[in-house]
DNA sequence: CTCGTTAATGAACAAGTTGTCCATTAACGA
DNA sequence: TCGTTAATGGACAACTTGTTCATTAACGAG
């Protein structure tokens, strides 16, 4: 049995195309990048591109999903019973983003976030909502709303972090996040 | 002296194209909409489109800037000296968004937010940052960061609001926003 | 190392899109 | 009323997209 995905040639092609996309997104907006640009930059045949990906969006989403998957240990987010809200630790998430800062920076610079919002952010949002549900029996506001706000704050915090001098560690970003967001959340959860 | 912009024909064409864009954004993603779609829907000649707008993005941004301009009374956001943080009132902003819910819903549904982020959000963010600067002599965190977080929260709150049953009034949304966001902000401003 | 399998290639393709140009027509408003 | 100005539509070259196919070359199981 031959494993298609493990073929060195396939991996090489995929890597070349993903790198090309990141490179190009640092140079111009995602919407302005054409398949032609990608295959030129990756030095890959046109038909090769289409045998790996459906289109440009598929390449972007696929590359991002790879990252998301790498984040699966983050599923340990769920709190123990009676655990205080302060226990929330997003450090693994921020560490992951720091490791792949190049990709996230490209996303922030080149746009293409609309596509990610539908997969990435909503997934994170669901996890946070589940976390809150486990803690709060009687929330004063809809959990979906609070989770949405918390996710948005993560997103904007990371934007600021990656665009600034980047001198903060993931643990520090985690502290800042909690300092800025948790007081309001605690009140709304009526803990 | 003839005023080009006031010519009924020009206004009619612009209105038709803007409406067509909103309609189409409720049907499919912004990136999938072509100039051809727009002029078909608006029933307008191809060359007419290009005599009014540079391209598709120009139409989107232009339409949005019109909204932003309508928001200029919001510039009274600046606080009086010594005014407490609780005085912050974003009700006019939320009212405006409710009035133009159709446009904002189209934006949320169809994507195209990347383009707006660069003009709309950054403007709001600057106003909030100036507001904070007038209040906080010794902030514990960079004001840009706090303002970014606050803007992101507004954005996500509105997303939730416009997608939900929409039963809340702008004043209620303003209250929810303050309840959720201000506690963390107050701590970080060291008031 | 061998050899059957499988990916990459590149060229060609129709169909669609983009932005521009221009002569003609018709609506506007001073 | 009449000169000005916007809309029209057709035509245009340049480019993009996604597909097909015969050919070449890299791969890896045995």
């Amino acid at each position: 049995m031959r494993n298609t995905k493990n073929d060195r040639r396939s991996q090489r092609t995929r890597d070349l195309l993903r790198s090309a996309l990141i490179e190009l997104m640092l140079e111009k907006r995602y919407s302005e990048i054409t398949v032609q640009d990608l295959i030129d930059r990756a030095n890959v045949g046109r038909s090769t591109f289409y045998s790996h990906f459906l289109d440009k969006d598929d390449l972007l989403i696929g590359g991002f999903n790879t990252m998301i998957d790498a984040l699966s240990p983050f599923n340990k987010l769920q709190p123990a019973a009676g655990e205080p809200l302060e226990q929330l630790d997003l450090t693994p998430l921020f560490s992951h983003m720091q490791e792949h800062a190049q990709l996230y920076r490209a996303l922030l610079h080149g746009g293409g976030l609309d596509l990610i919002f539908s997969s990435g952010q909503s997934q994170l949002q669901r996890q946070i909502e589940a976390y809150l549900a486990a803690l709060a029996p009687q929330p004063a506001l809809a959990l979906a709303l609070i989770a949405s706000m918390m996710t948005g704050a993560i997103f904007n915090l990371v934007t600021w972090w990656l665009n600034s001098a980047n001198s903060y560690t993931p643990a520090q970003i985690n502290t800042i996040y909690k300092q800025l967001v948790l007081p309001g959340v605690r009140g709304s959860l009526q803990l």
Side-chain angles (χ1 to χ4, degrees), chain A:
Chain A
M1 191 217 279
R2 306 273 295 272
N3 192 335
T4 297
K5 293 178 185 175
N6 284 346
D7 193 312
R8 275 183 214 161
R9 293 169 294 178
S10 292
Q11 285 185 334
R12 198 185 87 100
T13 300
R14 270 185 245 266
D15 286 349
L16 283 172
L17 285 169
R18 289 207 187 103
S19 301
L21 178 59
I22 291 180
E23 271 184 50
L24 287 165
M25 282 178 78
L26 290 170
E27 294 171 19
K28 53 179 166 181
R29 296 220 326 274
Y30 173 71
S31 61
E32 293 172 328
I33 298 172
T34 67
V35 174
Q36 196 66 51
D37 291 333
L38 288 166
I39 65 181
D40 286 349
R41 183 64 63 102
N43 203 25
V44 146
R46 178 168 204 71
S47 42
T48 305
F49 176 91
Y50 283 104
S51 72
H52 282 277
F53 303 100
L54 287 173
D55 52 23
K56 199 179 61 162
D57 290 354
D58 194 37
L59 171 59
L60 177 68
I61 295 174
F64 197 79
N65 282 344
T66 304
M67 302 287 98
I68 291 285
D69 290 346
L71 209 58
S72 54
F74 183 59
N75 285 331
K76 295 190 306 178
L77 182 60
Q78 293 318 311
E83 177 184 309
L85 187 59
E86 279 65 27
Q87 210 67 14
L88 178 69
D89 184 17
L90 297 178
T91 308
L93 175 66
F94 295 127
S95 294
H96 172 266
M97 288 181 159
Q98 191 181 47
E99 277 170 43
H100 300 278
Q102 193 192 32
L103 171 64
Y104 289 101
R105 251 190 279 263
L107 275 172
L108 292 176
H109 181 276
L113 283 166
D114 294 330
L115 282 168
I116 303 307
F117 264 60
S118 357
S119 58
Q121 179 171 359
S122 61
Q123 185 175 340
L124 181 58
Q125 198 161 314
R126 250 175 282 122
Q127 288 188 6
I128 290 183
E129 192 174 337
Y131 180 89
L132 297 179
L135 284 185
Q138 297 270 331
L141 294 176
L143 288 183
L145 166 57
I146 304 177
S148 167
M149 200 280 290
M150 289 176 71
T151 314
I154 290 175
F155 179 79
N156 276 46
L157 176 55
V158 169
T159 301
W160 174 84
W161 183 34
L162 293 181
N163 283 333
S164 69
N166 198 355
S167 50
Y168 292 94
T169 66
Q172 284 174 317
I173 293 293
N174 183 59
T175 303
I176 290 175
Y177 176 75
K178 287 162 67 175
Q179 175 183 346
L180 211 41
V181 169
L182 288 197
V185 172
R186 188 176 313 108
S188 303
L189 291 180
Q190 301 188 337
L191 292 179

